[in-house]
PDB file of all heavy atoms in Angstrom:
ATOM      1  N   LEU A 658       6.246 -31.369 -15.323  1.00  0.00           N
ATOM      2  CA  LEU A 658       5.553 -30.905 -14.122  1.00  0.00           C
ATOM      3  C   LEU A 658       4.257 -31.676 -13.876  1.00  0.00           C
ATOM      4  O   LEU A 658       3.891 -31.957 -12.729  1.00  0.00           O
ATOM      5  CB  LEU A 658       5.252 -29.410 -14.239  1.00  0.00           C
ATOM      6  CG  LEU A 658       6.448 -28.466 -14.140  1.00  0.00           C
ATOM      7  CD1 LEU A 658       6.012 -27.032 -14.421  1.00  0.00           C
ATOM      8  CD2 LEU A 658       7.099 -28.556 -12.766  1.00  0.00           C
ATOM      9  N   LEU A 659       3.565 -32.018 -14.942  1.00  0.00           N
ATOM     10  CA  LEU A 659       2.316 -32.745 -14.786  1.00  0.00           C
ATOM     11  C   LEU A 659       2.534 -34.123 -14.162  1.00  0.00           C
ATOM     12  O   LEU A 659       1.703 -34.608 -13.400  1.00  0.00           O
ATOM     13  CB  LEU A 659       1.628 -32.914 -16.137  1.00  0.00           C
ATOM     14  CG  LEU A 659       0.669 -31.823 -16.580  1.00  0.00           C
ATOM     15  CD1 LEU A 659       0.152 -32.128 -17.977  1.00  0.00           C
ATOM     16  CD2 LEU A 659      -0.490 -31.680 -15.611  1.00  0.00           C
ATOM     17  N   GLY A 660       3.631 -34.735 -14.516  1.00  0.00           N
ATOM     18  CA  GLY A 660       3.883 -36.089 -14.025  1.00  0.00           C
ATOM     19  C   GLY A 660       3.292 -37.136 -14.945  1.00  0.00           C
ATOM     20  O   GLY A 660       2.430 -36.861 -15.785  1.00  0.00           O
ATOM     21  N   ARG A 661       3.770 -38.354 -14.783  1.00  0.00           N
ATOM     22  CA  ARG A 661       3.375 -39.433 -15.684  1.00  0.00           C
ATOM     23  C   ARG A 661       1.861 -39.710 -15.634  1.00  0.00           C
ATOM     24  O   ARG A 661       1.189 -39.769 -16.662  1.00  0.00           O
ATOM     25  CB  ARG A 661       4.148 -40.701 -15.313  1.00  0.00           C
ATOM     26  CG  ARG A 661       3.948 -41.849 -16.320  1.00  0.00           C
ATOM     27  CD  ARG A 661       4.480 -43.161 -15.739  1.00  0.00           C
ATOM     28  NE  ARG A 661       5.862 -43.079 -15.361  1.00  0.00           N
ATOM     29  CZ  ARG A 661       6.897 -43.441 -16.146  1.00  0.00           C
ATOM     30  NH1 ARG A 661       6.652 -43.888 -17.363  1.00  0.00           N
ATOM     31  NH2 ARG A 661       8.127 -43.359 -15.707  1.00  0.00           N
ATOM     32  N   GLU A 662       1.312 -39.858 -14.440  1.00  0.00           N
ATOM     33  CA  GLU A 662      -0.076 -40.298 -14.321  1.00  0.00           C
ATOM     34  C   GLU A 662      -1.044 -39.295 -14.934  1.00  0.00           C
ATOM     35  O   GLU A 662      -1.951 -39.669 -15.691  1.00  0.00           O
ATOM     36  CB  GLU A 662      -0.419 -40.549 -12.855  1.00  0.00           C
ATOM     37  CG  GLU A 662       0.279 -41.757 -12.255  1.00  0.00           C
ATOM     38  CD  GLU A 662      -0.175 -42.017 -10.834  1.00  0.00           C
ATOM     39  OE1 GLU A 662      -1.155 -41.368 -10.389  1.00  0.00           O
ATOM     40  OE2 GLU A 662       0.444 -42.860 -10.170  1.00  0.00           O
ATOM     41  N   ARG A 663      -0.884 -38.010 -14.584  1.00  0.00           N
ATOM     42  CA  ARG A 663      -1.811 -37.011 -15.123  1.00  0.00           C
ATOM     43  C   ARG A 663      -1.635 -36.853 -16.628  1.00  0.00           C
ATOM     44  O   ARG A 663      -2.615 -36.683 -17.364  1.00  0.00           O
ATOM     45  CB  ARG A 663      -1.600 -35.665 -14.419  1.00  0.00           C
ATOM     46  CG  ARG A 663      -2.240 -35.599 -13.027  1.00  0.00           C
ATOM     47  CD  ARG A 663      -2.402 -34.167 -12.562  1.00  0.00           C
ATOM     48  NE  ARG A 663      -3.184 -34.106 -11.327  1.00  0.00           N
ATOM     49  CZ  ARG A 663      -2.715 -33.716 -10.160  1.00  0.00           C
ATOM     50  NH1 ARG A 663      -1.452 -33.328 -10.061  1.00  0.00           N
ATOM     51  NH2 ARG A 663      -3.482 -33.689  -9.092  1.00  0.00           N
ATOM     52  N   THR A 664      -0.396 -36.890 -17.099  1.00  0.00           N
ATOM     53  CA  THR A 664      -0.160 -36.753 -18.538  1.00  0.00           C
ATOM     54  C   THR A 664      -0.840 -37.881 -19.310  1.00  0.00           C
ATOM     55  O   THR A 664      -1.570 -37.642 -20.286  1.00  0.00           O
ATOM     56  CB  THR A 664       1.345 -36.747 -18.833  1.00  0.00           C
ATOM     57  OG1 THR A 664       1.956 -35.611 -18.217  1.00  0.00           O
ATOM     58  CG2 THR A 664       1.600 -36.689 -20.329  1.00  0.00           C
ATOM     59  N   LEU A 665      -0.618 -39.113 -18.887  1.00  0.00           N
ATOM     60  CA  LEU A 665      -1.192 -40.256 -19.598  1.00  0.00           C
ATOM     61  C   LEU A 665      -2.719 -40.252 -19.510  1.00  0.00           C
ATOM     62  O   LEU A 665      -3.414 -40.550 -20.493  1.00  0.00           O
ATOM     63  CB  LEU A 665      -0.629 -41.554 -19.030  1.00  0.00           C
ATOM     64  CG  LEU A 665       0.890 -41.763 -19.226  1.00  0.00           C
ATOM     65  CD1 LEU A 665       1.330 -43.064 -18.582  1.00  0.00           C
ATOM     66  CD2 LEU A 665       1.252 -41.751 -20.721  1.00  0.00           C
ATOM     67  N   ALA A 666      -3.245 -39.899 -18.336  1.00  0.00           N
ATOM     68  CA  ALA A 666      -4.704 -39.874 -18.191  1.00  0.00           C
ATOM     69  C   ALA A 666      -5.324 -38.848 -19.125  1.00  0.00           C
ATOM     70  O   ALA A 666      -6.361 -39.116 -19.761  1.00  0.00           O
ATOM     71  CB  ALA A 666      -5.072 -39.562 -16.743  1.00  0.00           C
ATOM     72  N   ARG A 667      -4.726 -37.678 -19.249  1.00  0.00           N
ATOM     73  CA  ARG A 667      -5.289 -36.640 -20.110  1.00  0.00           C
ATOM     74  C   ARG A 667      -5.138 -36.996 -21.590  1.00  0.00           C
ATOM     75  O   ARG A 667      -6.023 -36.699 -22.406  1.00  0.00           O
ATOM     76  CB  ARG A 667      -4.634 -35.289 -19.797  1.00  0.00           C
ATOM     77  CG  ARG A 667      -5.019 -34.779 -18.413  1.00  0.00           C
ATOM     78  CD  ARG A 667      -4.351 -33.470 -18.065  1.00  0.00           C
ATOM     79  NE  ARG A 667      -4.609 -33.124 -16.665  1.00  0.00           N
ATOM     80  CZ  ARG A 667      -4.176 -32.014 -16.078  1.00  0.00           C
ATOM     81  NH1 ARG A 667      -3.463 -31.133 -16.776  1.00  0.00           N
ATOM     82  NH2 ARG A 667      -4.465 -31.786 -14.801  1.00  0.00           N
ATOM     83  N   LEU A 668      -4.018 -37.621 -21.945  1.00  0.00           N
ATOM     84  CA  LEU A 668      -3.848 -38.053 -23.335  1.00  0.00           C
ATOM     85  C   LEU A 668      -4.883 -39.108 -23.707  1.00  0.00           C
ATOM     86  O   LEU A 668      -5.489 -39.055 -24.787  1.00  0.00           O
ATOM     87  CB  LEU A 668      -2.435 -38.599 -23.538  1.00  0.00           C
ATOM     88  CG  LEU A 668      -1.329 -37.553 -23.725  1.00  0.00           C
ATOM     89  CD1 LEU A 668       0.040 -38.213 -23.705  1.00  0.00           C
ATOM     90  CD2 LEU A 668      -1.526 -36.796 -25.039  1.00  0.00           C
ATOM     91  N   ARG A 669      -5.131 -40.039 -22.801  1.00  0.00           N
ATOM     92  CA  ARG A 669      -6.108 -41.094 -23.093  1.00  0.00           C
ATOM     93  C   ARG A 669      -7.521 -40.525 -23.170  1.00  0.00           C
ATOM     94  O   ARG A 669      -8.338 -40.951 -23.992  1.00  0.00           O
ATOM     95  CB  ARG A 669      -6.002 -42.189 -22.039  1.00  0.00           C
ATOM     96  CG  ARG A 669      -4.719 -43.020 -22.196  1.00  0.00           C
ATOM     97  CD  ARG A 669      -4.402 -43.857 -20.987  1.00  0.00           C
ATOM     98  NE  ARG A 669      -3.144 -44.603 -21.190  1.00  0.00           N
ATOM     99  CZ  ARG A 669      -2.372 -45.053 -20.219  1.00  0.00           C
ATOM    100  NH1 ARG A 669      -2.705 -44.821 -18.938  1.00  0.00           N
ATOM    101  NH2 ARG A 669      -1.270 -45.728 -20.499  1.00  0.00           N
ATOM    102  N   THR A 670      -7.809 -39.530 -22.335  1.00  0.00           N
ATOM    103  CA  THR A 670      -9.127 -38.875 -22.403  1.00  0.00           C
ATOM    104  C   THR A 670      -9.293 -38.159 -23.735  1.00  0.00           C
ATOM    105  O   THR A 670     -10.363 -38.221 -24.365  1.00  0.00           O
ATOM    106  CB  THR A 670      -9.288 -37.883 -21.240  1.00  0.00           C
ATOM    107  OG1 THR A 670      -9.214 -38.590 -19.999  1.00  0.00           O
ATOM    108  CG2 THR A 670     -10.608 -37.141 -21.326  1.00  0.00           C
ATOM    109  N   ALA A 671      -8.236 -37.470 -24.181  1.00  0.00           N
ATOM    110  CA  ALA A 671      -8.303 -36.754 -25.454  1.00  0.00           C
ATOM    111  C   ALA A 671      -8.460 -37.722 -26.623  1.00  0.00           C
ATOM    112  O   ALA A 671      -9.231 -37.467 -27.562  1.00  0.00           O
ATOM    113  CB  ALA A 671      -7.048 -35.906 -25.635  1.00  0.00           C
ATOM    114  N   LEU A 672      -7.737 -38.845 -26.573  1.00  0.00           N
ATOM    115  CA  LEU A 672      -7.842 -39.840 -27.649  1.00  0.00           C
ATOM    116  C   LEU A 672      -9.248 -40.428 -27.697  1.00  0.00           C
ATOM    117  O   LEU A 672      -9.813 -40.647 -28.783  1.00  0.00           O
ATOM    118  CB  LEU A 672      -6.806 -40.939 -27.444  1.00  0.00           C
ATOM    119  CG  LEU A 672      -5.374 -40.565 -27.829  1.00  0.00           C
ATOM    120  CD1 LEU A 672      -4.387 -41.593 -27.299  1.00  0.00           C
ATOM    121  CD2 LEU A 672      -5.258 -40.435 -29.354  1.00  0.00           C
ATOM    122  N   ALA A 673      -9.805 -40.686 -26.516  1.00  0.00           N
ATOM    123  CA  ALA A 673     -11.168 -41.227 -26.484  1.00  0.00           C
ATOM    124  C   ALA A 673     -12.148 -40.231 -27.092  1.00  0.00           C
ATOM    125  O   ALA A 673     -13.092 -40.621 -27.806  1.00  0.00           O
ATOM    126  CB  ALA A 673     -11.559 -41.557 -25.048  1.00  0.00           C
ATOM    127  N   ARG A 674     -11.934 -38.962 -26.845  1.00  0.00           N
ATOM    128  CA  ARG A 674     -12.811 -37.917 -27.402  1.00  0.00           C
ATOM    129  C   ARG A 674     -12.714 -37.916 -28.920  1.00  0.00           C
ATOM    130  O   ARG A 674     -13.728 -37.830 -29.620  1.00  0.00           O
ATOM    131  CB  ARG A 674     -12.398 -36.560 -26.826  1.00  0.00           C
ATOM    132  CG  ARG A 674     -13.093 -35.356 -27.468  1.00  0.00           C
ATOM    133  CD  ARG A 674     -12.397 -34.064 -27.087  1.00  0.00           C
ATOM    134  NE  ARG A 674     -12.929 -32.929 -27.808  1.00  0.00           N
ATOM    135  CZ  ARG A 674     -13.750 -32.022 -27.308  1.00  0.00           C
ATOM    136  NH1 ARG A 674     -14.151 -32.124 -26.053  1.00  0.00           N
ATOM    137  NH2 ARG A 674     -14.180 -31.014 -28.049  1.00  0.00           N
ATOM    138  N   VAL A 675     -11.472 -37.995 -29.435  1.00  0.00           N
ATOM    139  CA  VAL A 675     -11.290 -37.977 -30.884  1.00  0.00           C
ATOM    140  C   VAL A 675     -11.950 -39.194 -31.523  1.00  0.00           C
ATOM    141  O   VAL A 675     -12.653 -39.097 -32.540  1.00  0.00           O
ATOM    142  CB  VAL A 675      -9.790 -37.934 -31.236  1.00  0.00           C
ATOM    143  CG1 VAL A 675      -9.587 -38.095 -32.748  1.00  0.00           C
ATOM    144  CG2 VAL A 675      -9.169 -36.625 -30.762  1.00  0.00           C
ATOM    145  N   ARG A 676     -11.760 -40.351 -30.920  1.00  0.00           N
ATOM    146  CA  ARG A 676     -12.282 -41.585 -31.496  1.00  0.00           C
ATOM    147  C   ARG A 676     -13.809 -41.662 -31.422  1.00  0.00           C
ATOM    148  O   ARG A 676     -14.461 -42.329 -32.238  1.00  0.00           O
ATOM    149  CB  ARG A 676     -11.654 -42.787 -30.799  1.00  0.00           C
ATOM    150  CG  ARG A 676     -10.164 -42.955 -31.132  1.00  0.00           C
ATOM    151  CD  ARG A 676      -9.478 -43.882 -30.159  1.00  0.00           C
ATOM    152  NE  ARG A 676      -8.060 -44.048 -30.522  1.00  0.00           N
ATOM    153  CZ  ARG A 676      -7.130 -44.525 -29.684  1.00  0.00           C
ATOM    154  NH1 ARG A 676      -7.477 -44.842 -28.419  1.00  0.00           N
ATOM    155  NH2 ARG A 676      -5.889 -44.635 -30.077  1.00  0.00           N
ATOM    156  N   ALA A 677     -14.363 -40.955 -30.421  1.00  0.00           N
ATOM    157  CA  ALA A 677     -15.818 -40.998 -30.260  1.00  0.00           C
ATOM    158  C   ALA A 677     -16.527 -39.973 -31.125  1.00  0.00           C
ATOM    159  O   ALA A 677     -17.754 -40.017 -31.268  1.00  0.00           O
ATOM    160  CB  ALA A 677     -16.185 -40.759 -28.803  1.00  0.00           C
ATOM    161  N   ALA A 678     -15.759 -39.043 -31.684  1.00  0.00           N
ATOM    162  CA  ALA A 678     -16.381 -37.989 -32.511  1.00  0.00           C
ATOM    163  C   ALA A 678     -16.930 -38.585 -33.782  1.00  0.00           C
ATOM    164  O   ALA A 678     -16.323 -39.496 -34.379  1.00  0.00           O
ATOM    165  CB  ALA A 678     -15.357 -36.893 -32.816  1.00  0.00           C
ATOM    166  N   PRO A 679     -18.065 -38.089 -34.278  1.00  0.00           N
ATOM    167  CA  PRO A 679     -18.598 -38.610 -35.546  1.00  0.00           C
ATOM    168  C   PRO A 679     -17.663 -38.295 -36.694  1.00  0.00           C
ATOM    169  O   PRO A 679     -16.957 -37.290 -36.698  1.00  0.00           O
ATOM    170  CB  PRO A 679     -19.932 -37.844 -35.685  1.00  0.00           C
ATOM    171  CG  PRO A 679     -19.773 -36.621 -34.819  1.00  0.00           C
ATOM    172  CD  PRO A 679     -18.897 -37.030 -33.692  1.00  0.00           C
ATOM    173  N   ALA A 680     -17.609 -39.175 -37.632  1.00  0.00           N
ATOM    174  CA  ALA A 680     -16.730 -39.002 -38.806  1.00  0.00           C
ATOM    175  C   ALA A 680     -17.180 -37.786 -39.599  1.00  0.00           C
ATOM    176  O   ALA A 680     -18.374 -37.480 -39.696  1.00  0.00           O
ATOM    177  CB  ALA A 680     -16.755 -40.245 -39.674  1.00  0.00           C
ATOM    178  N   ALA A 681     -16.189 -37.083 -40.149  1.00  0.00           N
ATOM    179  CA  ALA A 681     -16.511 -35.902 -40.957  1.00  0.00           C
ATOM    180  C   ALA A 681     -17.237 -36.325 -42.219  1.00  0.00           C
ATOM    181  O   ALA A 681     -16.976 -37.392 -42.794  1.00  0.00           O
ATOM    182  CB  ALA A 681     -15.223 -35.159 -41.292  1.00  0.00           C
TER     183      ALA A 681
END
Side-chain angles (χ1 to χ4, degrees):
L658 289 174
L659 271 177
R661 188 193 303 266
E662 291 184 9
R663 282 198 172 114
T664 297
L665 295 178
R667 292 178 188 182
L668 280 171
R669 288 165 181 156
T670 298
L672 283 167
R674 172 194 173 104
V675 173
R676 290 164 179 163

